[in-house]
């Protein structure tokens, strides 16, 4: 019996030795094919016009010279542009660009070419200047020490008076204390005075012996000591032996620490000229975000990136304005414009990818000049960099570890340059030995979180942490170093020497 196969008005017959009843193969509903065809045709047309418009018209005045173009621009295309499908396709086309893949070193070069160096300065008292970067050399207003003084509690004498003696007895003829110097200026040979640490040395004396090395007779007011127990000029700090008056003691481009400020104060400096704080606007985006301390809704997560990055920025002495908001193209665009009016740098998290829901990236492309490259690295490849109104903009990935690494390896260096530093913009790398084999994708740089397990021949032996997920904050808290694997290699054998960065060098 023949098998009949019906396909909407067409049929084919075949002879079969099997005895089976006629059968009809299941077909889609009659209306599906026309609808799908219509949808595909409309989509194709819209994509065609969208790409044409995006290439020639978006961001500048519409320029079409021929009569057909004028008709389309006046009547047809404005109607198409108002459709939701057109808008969505435009956003998808803008977001899903193909970026040039560049190396870590090249990205750093391009970032530093864009990040502005500071020009304005402010004057601050020492107590308010910690963490700021000096804009000029600072010279000592007075020598240091400011006068010749004793480095020990003991007895001051003239060393030549005891030369040739094994043991000597000296009468105590005066005293000198810090802030209360000995008023006597003429001394008989082979005499001494009691002196305290920091007290002024009489010009007649040149050596101090600690009281612990002396036999002291309080009644007779004498001391006895072995001359071999002290050397000439011992335990004396001479005026200007550390710093001369007018000598540069802090160079331009130095980040001031408590130690620097103590030195400046001791050298008679009361205020410093520094570069002002870099003002950074931090915008975290994501409809799934809830702020710490707020109730957590279903399918929400707490905004850990905002807390982490704000803390890292403040540790760098930046002035930070932190804002979190949901994914909304219009609201994000408005907020970006507001933040840039009062900041020197914009730092965003979320929306760094290359998909239709990455609204931050789409808005920035429309507002400014985002660089047409990505970095072949892991984690953090989605990171983007550019400028809006002459101000650097970083779009960091939403995954917290990727955001952490991207900030550490790129945004931090740009900020240091904007603060006035010229050296040490990138974390220093040190040699370390691998505890196990590593295999990675060739051509891709990797920044692996690792810990130090031991030391061999003075070099740390490091072990990558078990989970290298860009979302694993638990592993990030256990990391001591970043293992820096370059683009070229794809295998690293156990015992290989590899570069690492200490997180402590970044204050982390």
């Amino acid at each position: 019996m023949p098998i009949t196969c019906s396909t909407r008005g067409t049929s084919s017959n075949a002879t079969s030795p099997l005895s089976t009843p006629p059968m009809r193969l299941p077909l889609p509903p009659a209306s599906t094919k026309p609808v799908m065809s219509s949808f595909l045709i409309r989509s194709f047309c819209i994509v065609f016009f969208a790409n044409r418009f995006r290439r020639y018209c978006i961001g500048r005045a519409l320029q079409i010279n021929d009569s057909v173009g004028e008709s389309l621009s006046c009547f047809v295309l404005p109607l198409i542009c108002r459709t939701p499908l057109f808008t969505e396709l435009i956003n998808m086309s803008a977001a899903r660009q193909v970026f040039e893949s560049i190396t870590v070193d090249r990205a750093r070069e391009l970032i530093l070419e864009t990040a502005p160096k500071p020009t304005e300065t402010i004057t601050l008292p020492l107590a308010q200047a910690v963490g700021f970067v000096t804009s000029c050399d600072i010279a000592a207003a007075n020598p240091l020490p400011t006068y010749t003084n004793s480095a020990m509690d003991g007895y001051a004498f003239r060393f030549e008076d005891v030369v040739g003696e094994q043991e000597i007895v000296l009468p105590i003829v005066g005293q000198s204390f810090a802030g209360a110097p000995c008023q006597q200026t003429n001394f008989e040979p082979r005499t001494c005075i009691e002196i305290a640490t920091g007290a002024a040395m009489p010009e007649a004396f040149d050596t101090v012996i600690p009281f612990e090395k002396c036999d002291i007779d309080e009644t007779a007011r004498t001391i006895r000591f072995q001359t071999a127990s002290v050397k000439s000029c011992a335990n004396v700090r001479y005026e200007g032996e550390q710093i001369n008056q007018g000598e540069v003691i802090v160079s331009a481009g130095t980040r001031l620490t408590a130690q620097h400020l103590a030195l400046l104060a001791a050298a008679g400096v009361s205020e410093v000229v520094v570069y002002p704080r870099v003002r950074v606007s931090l915008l975290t985006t994501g409809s799934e975000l809830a702020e710490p301390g707020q109730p957590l809704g279903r399918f929400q997560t707490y905004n850990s990136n905002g807390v982490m990055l704000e803390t890292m920025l403040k540790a760098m002495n930046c002035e930070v304005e932190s804002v979190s908001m949901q994914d909304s193209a219009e609201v994000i665009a408005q907020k970006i414009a507001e933040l840039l009016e009062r900041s020197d740098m914009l730092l965003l998290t979320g929306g760094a990818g290359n998909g239709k829901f990455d609204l931050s990236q789409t808005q920035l492309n429309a507002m400014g000049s985002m660089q047409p490259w990505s970095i072949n690295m892991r984690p953090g490849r989605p990171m983007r960099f550019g400028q809006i109104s002459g101000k650097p903009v970083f779009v960091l990935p939403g995954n917290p570890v990727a955001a952490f690494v991207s900030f550490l390896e790129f945004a931090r260096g740009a900020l240091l340059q904007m603060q006035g530093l010229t050296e040490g913009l990138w974390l220093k790398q040190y040699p370390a030995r691998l505890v196990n084999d590593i295999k990675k994708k060739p051509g891709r740089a990797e920044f692996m979180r690792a810990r130090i397990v031991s030391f061999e021949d003075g070099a740390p032996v490091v072990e990558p942490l078990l989970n290298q997920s860009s979302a694993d904050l638990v592993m990030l808290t256990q990391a001591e170093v970043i293992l820096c694997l370059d683009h070229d290699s794809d295998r690293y054998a156990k015992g290989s020497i590899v570069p690492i960065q200490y997180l402590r060098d970044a204050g982390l």
Side-chain angles (χ1 to χ4, degrees):
M1 181 177 295
I3 296 179
T4 303
C5 197
S6 175
T7 56
R8 292 187 58 82
T10 64
S11 64
S12 61
N13 296 326
T15 302
S16 171
L18 300 178
S19 178
T20 53
M23 60 178 291
R24 186 178 298 274
L25 298 180
L27 294 174
S31 62
T32 301
K33 186 174 180 180
V35 170
M36 289 300 296
S37 298
S38 174
F39 174 79
L40 290 175
I41 292 171
R42 287 189 294 112
S43 298
F44 175 80
C45 293
I46 291 174
V47 170
F48 175 81
F49 285 119
N51 285 331
R52 289 289 181 181
F53 261 59
R54 183 172 174 274
R55 185 175 302 174
Y56 297 109
C57 305
I58 292 178
R60 59 184 184 269
L62 189 62
Q63 297 176 351
I64 303 177
N65 296 322
D66 60 1
S67 59
V68 175
E70 291 176 1
S71 299
L72 288 173
S73 64
C74 293
F75 301 104
V76 180
L77 291 179
L79 296 175
I80 295 175
C81 290
R82 291 192 184 100
T83 65
L85 181 58
F86 178 87
T87 303
E88 182 177 357
L89 289 170
I90 283 285
N91 290 336
M92 292 172 62
S93 176
R96 292 178 179 174
Q97 302 176 59
V98 177
F99 296 100
E100 176 191 0
S101 182
I102 63 175
T103 65
V104 169
D105 288 341
R106 181 58 180 152
R108 288 173 173 172
E109 291 174 3
L110 295 172
I111 287 170
L112 292 185
E113 289 175 5
T114 302
K117 297 179 180 180
T119 55
E120 297 181 2
T121 61
I122 57 175
T123 301
L124 294 177
L126 293 185
Q128 299 177 19
V130 65
F132 286 84
V133 177
T134 55
S135 63
C136 58
D137 293 341
I138 305 175
N142 52 249
L144 195 64
T146 54
Y147 59 92
T148 302
N149 63 87
S150 174
M152 303 283 288
D153 290 339
Y155 298 90
F157 64 96
R158 187 167 43 237
F159 188 79
E160 67 178 22
D161 288 345
V162 301
V163 173
E165 302 287 342
Q166 268 193 331
E167 186 178 79
I168 190 76
V169 176
L170 300 178
I172 303 171
V173 297
Q175 294 177 322
S176 181
F177 299 105
C182 181
Q183 300 300 315
Q184 186 177 342
T185 56
N186 296 318
F187 296 91
E188 295 292 329
R190 295 198 171 196
T191 60
C192 71
I193 63 168
E194 183 181 0
I195 194 166
T197 301
M201 286 280 292
E203 293 184 3
F205 299 143
D206 60 9
T207 304
V208 173
I209 184 169
F211 70 86
E212 296 93 341
K213 296 183 178 181
C214 301
D215 292 328
I216 305 168
D217 189 334
E218 293 287 357
T219 302
R221 297 290 293 163
T222 62
I223 60 170
R224 181 192 303 271
F225 60 90
Q226 301 293 317
T227 58
S229 64
V230 66
K231 296 181 179 180
S232 176
C233 300
N235 306 311
V236 177
R237 297 182 291 218
Y238 289 92
E239 178 180 333
E241 72 175 18
Q242 298 176 22
I243 296 170
N244 294 317
Q245 185 176 8
E247 181 181 349
V248 173
I249 53 176
V250 177
S251 301
T254 300
R255 187 183 294 280
L256 295 172
T257 64
Q259 299 93 305
H260 291 119
L261 298 176
L263 173 61
L264 291 168
V269 178
S270 60
E271 58 185 23
V272 289
V273 181
V274 296
Y275 295 114
R277 283 191 175 101
V278 177
R279 300 168 302 168
V280 181
S281 291
L282 173 61
L283 176 59
T284 53
T285 63
S287 299
E288 76 282 8
L289 296 180
E291 292 305 303
Q294 300 298 317
L296 191 65
R298 182 64 172 165
F299 308 118
Q300 280 192 306
T301 183
Y302 282 119
N303 182 13
S304 59
N305 279 350
V307 175
M308 176 181 69
L309 292 169
E310 182 177 357
T311 303
M312 295 172 77
L313 288 166
K314 288 182 176 179
M316 294 180 65
N317 200 39
C318 295
E319 183 180 319
V320 185
E321 180 180 0
S322 182
V323 179
S324 176
M325 60 194 314
Q326 294 188 344
D327 290 324
S328 170
E330 293 183 2
V331 177
I332 288 176
Q334 181 180 357
K335 181 56 68 173
I336 288 173
E338 291 177 5
L339 293 174
L340 283 171
E341 289 181 357
R342 53 181 182 265
S343 63
D344 305 306
M345 175 187 282
L346 178 63
L347 198 65
L348 297 98
T349 64
N354 197 17
K356 75 173 188 176
F357 296 112
D358 292 315
L359 301 177
S360 300
Q361 183 71 19
T362 303
Q363 291 302 316
L364 291 172
N365 278 326
M367 298 175 68
S369 174
M370 300 303 292
Q371 294 294 323
W373 46 257
S374 66
I375 307 167
N376 192 3
M377 59 178 278
R378 178 186 179 191
R381 179 160 189 159
M383 188 201 81
R384 296 288 178 265
F385 172 75
Q387 274 187 316
I388 298 178
S389 302
K391 299 177 181 180
V393 175
F394 285 89
V395 187
L396 306 183
N399 280 324
V401 178
F404 178 89
V405 170
S406 299
F407 178 89
L408 202 63
E409 302 298 336
F410 302 101
R412 179 178 177 272
L415 280 169
L416 293 178
Q417 179 167 283
M418 294 173 68
Q419 290 178 330
L421 293 176
T422 57
E423 298 179 354
L425 301 181
W426 312 114
L427 284 175
K428 185 177 179 180
Q429 295 186 351
Y430 302 86
R433 194 177 302 277
L434 274 179
V435 76
N436 56 280
D437 297 333
I438 292 180
K439 181 180 178 181
K440 74 171 186 68
K441 183 178 180 180
R444 181 175 69 192
E446 295 208 15
F447 296 93
M448 303 182 75
R449 283 70 66 206
R451 65 187 185 96
I452 299 173
V453 296
S454 63
F455 286 86
E456 290 183 8
D457 300 325
V461 178
V462 297
E463 178 183 42
L465 296 177
L466 182 63
N467 189 351
Q468 293 293 322
S469 166
S470 61
D472 195 331
L473 283 171
V474 175
M475 291 290 104
L476 185 60
T477 63
Q478 298 176 11
E480 299 174 275
V481 299
I482 298 293
L483 182 58
C484 306
L485 305 181
D486 61 24
H487 293 270
D488 299 330
S489 303
D490 62 343
R491 295 177 184 272
Y492 296 84
K494 176 181 178 180
S496 298
I497 300 298
V498 292
I500 62 168
Q501 299 167 337
Y502 285 98
L503 292 178
R504 68 184 182 217
D505 287 353
L508 301 170

